[in-house]
Amino acid sequence: MAAATQLKKATFKHVEAELYAYPDTKREINKLRQQIMNGTNDDENVGAGRNSYRTPSRPTEQIATRLMTNKFLRNLEEVAYAIDTVYNSLDPTRQKIIKMRYWSGRQSASWERIAMECNLSERSVYNYRKEIIGAIAEKIGWR
């Protein structure tokens, strides 16, 4: 799980910010998908005349196309997928580190407390953090 190259400092911070925002990202994905699937008709020509051009109504295909072509949604899903994949491949100790530090909301634990609760040295916790963030960045394709 060690990264082949050293991450840039900005990339490291960005991936860490994505880890903190992961629960919000999942909510945003669901909200965006619902908006796209239940969205309003974007056609401004509501009162189309009898001879005007109309596209055949194929709502399922239109919804699928909108879901696939929304760049913002695809980006959020890519980040969430990378975090999910890396998180699910981790051992329980490393999963606990992520939960305690990044996903516990306002009461996120300090690195010292995490080290104590996981029976690890603080240096080991920092090394795990570096490995985890490197693996997520690699999965997304960031460097």
Side-chain angles (χ1 to χ4, degrees), residues 46-106:
V46 179
R50 210 167 91 187
N51 294 331
S52 67
Y53 174 75
R54 293 187 198 115
T55 57
S57 177
R58 299 179 79 164
T60 304
E61 289 88 349
Q62 290 174 351
I63 290 171
T65 302
R66 284 195 307 254
L67 285 171
M68 294 304 296
T69 58
N70 189 308
K71 289 181 183 181
F72 184 63
L73 177 62
R74 283 188 312 171
N75 184 31
L76 290 176
E77 287 176 333
E78 182 181 355
V79 170
Y81 174 76
I83 292 172
D84 283 338
T85 304
V86 171
Y87 178 79
N88 291 331
S89 71
L90 296 174
D91 61 86
T93 303
R94 291 178 183 165
Q95 287 181 350
K96 185 176 180 180
I97 291 170
I98 289 178
K99 282 181 190 174
M100 289 179 70
R101 180 64 184 196
Y102 299 108
W103 299 342
S104 60
R106 290 178 163 240

Side-chain angles (χ1 to χ4, degrees), residues 104-118:
S104 60
R106 290 178 163 240
Q107 58 274 17
S108 65
S110 68
W111 293 114
E112 294 171 2
R113 183 169 155 228
I114 293 170
M116 262 190 345
E117 287 198 27
C118 294

